[in-house]
Amino acid sequence: MADSSPEPVILVEKAGGVALVTLNRPTAMNALSRELRSAIAETFEALEADPEVRAVILTGAGKAFTAGLDLKELGSGASTVNGTVSDKDPVTSIGQFSGPVIGAINGVAITGGFELALACDVLICSTNARFADTHGRVGILPGWGLSQKLSRAIGIYRAKELSLTGNFLSAEQAYEWGMVNRVVAPEDLLPTARKLADDMLSLVPDCLPAYKKLIDEGFAQSFGEAIRTERRFSTERNAAVGADAIEARREAIRQRGQQQKN
């Protein structure tokens, strides 16, 4: 007898310290239903508790990364807009993962999906990727940070253009504006993201989450505060690094530099 159990709304594959997390509602363009929002939050909480997982790649099944909040669900009254903030918040949960999160944006990332993309540390886009902030067209305002993160990523004038029109932004334009790290062919998206994750995992293991935390904390502060934060972090961290450890790593750094030059 065939198994009639429903497909899970999120898929997780782990290999070599990296978890591939796939939003799995392809027939609904991975719309962020209440179930999927909770699943994202719970998945990232579980990954943070797993010592074997040090980096995450986040992508979507099918043609979309995610089309944002499930408007059909919201329109039916089965969920509320304010509930998307007071329920388990997927954006906050992603941000609390201590390792790098690489967004592999395979298709459209709209409104709440745009916010989910901006929660990642690095964005690799397929040529099929597009972004749009349609909060104003739905008649709501963002609650997961888009109104503040987007202007910091691309500048306030460009952010206002996107948010106050709801117009789409292509992957290529997002790259030109400095919002995404690179744009690749669809078939190269996950291999490129995996290669980048492996490069990150080649850092000194405990330095990777510490450096991410330093960058994130400083970015949220004024420049003067951020410099003081860096000094505090570096004083605590660097006091524990001896000359022998630096010498042992020096040759590997030199060899890697030579390989990347070729």
Side-chain angles (χ1 to χ4, degrees):
M1 184 176 178
D3 184 1
S4 59
S5 60
E7 280 282 311
V9 296
I10 200 161
L11 305 174
V12 180
E13 301 172 49
K14 301 177 185 178
V18 180
L20 173 63
V21 176
T22 304
L23 309 180
N24 191 41
R25 297 185 70 210
T27 58
M29 296 181 70
N30 301 318
L32 297 169
S33 63
R34 187 172 189 175
E35 180 187 14
L36 181 53
R37 296 195 305 271
S38 293
I40 295 168
E42 290 164 6
T43 295
F44 274 86
E45 288 167 7
L47 293 175
E48 176 63 14
D50 186 342
E52 299 300 316
V53 176
R54 299 175 51 222
V56 171
I57 297 169
L58 178 63
T59 194
K63 296 182 178 181
F65 176 66
T66 166
L69 290 177
D70 191 330
L71 297 182
K72 184 176 180 180
E73 182 181 82
L74 290 174
S76 72
S79 180
T80 66
V81 175
N82 283 340
T84 65
V85 178
S86 59
D87 285 347
K88 281 198 169 182
D89 171 359
V91 168
T92 298
S93 297
I94 291 171
Q96 290 173 344
F97 181 75
S98 57
V101 179
I102 299 170
I105 313 302
N106 54 300
V108 294
I110 303 172
T111 310
F114 199 169
E115 297 197 83
L116 209 66
L118 291 175
C120 299
D121 298 297
V122 171
L123 294 180
I124 308 297
C125 288
S126 155
T127 51
N128 295 329
R130 293 194 301 157
F131 302 88
D133 176 12
T134 61
H135 282 96
R137 292 190 174 274
V138 178
I140 60 177
L141 294 175
W144 291 343
L146 185 146
S147 67
Q148 305 307 309
K149 290 180 181 178
L150 186 59
S151 61
R152 286 163 171 77
I154 62 175
I156 192 168
Y157 299 107
R158 288 168 172 168
K160 285 180 178 178
E161 176 184 336
L162 289 181
S163 296
L164 301 184
T165 63
N167 289 343
F168 276 85
L169 180 71
S170 69
E172 291 79 7
Q173 188 68 66
Y175 174 77
E176 290 178 14
W177 284 4
M179 195 184 81
V180 307
N181 294 69
R182 64 197 74 169
V183 179
V184 299
E187 63 271 19
D188 294 330
L189 180 63
L190 290 182
T192 300
R194 177 69 205 211
K195 172 63 169 59
L196 184 59
D198 288 341
D199 283 346
M200 291 175 171
L201 294 190
S202 69
L203 266 63
V204 175
D206 63 338
C207 198
L208 183 62
Y211 212 152
K212 173 183 168 175
K213 183 178 180 181
L214 170 58
I215 294 169
D216 286 344
E217 286 200 13
F219 191 72
Q221 299 170 339
S222 69
F223 182 77
E225 290 173 318
I227 290 296
R228 289 189 289 273
T229 295
E230 181 188 82
R231 188 158 298 171
R232 174 170 54 83
F233 270 59
S234 66
T235 298
E236 294 170 1
R237 163 78 196 187
N238 297 349
V241 182
D244 290 346
I246 294 174
E247 179 59 24
R249 296 163 185 153
R250 181 175 62 84
E251 179 58 22
I253 295 169
R254 188 194 68 80
Q255 289 182 8
R256 189 167 189 272
Q258 288 296 320
Q259 291 169 358
Q260 293 197 325
K261 188 170 69 173
N262 298 330

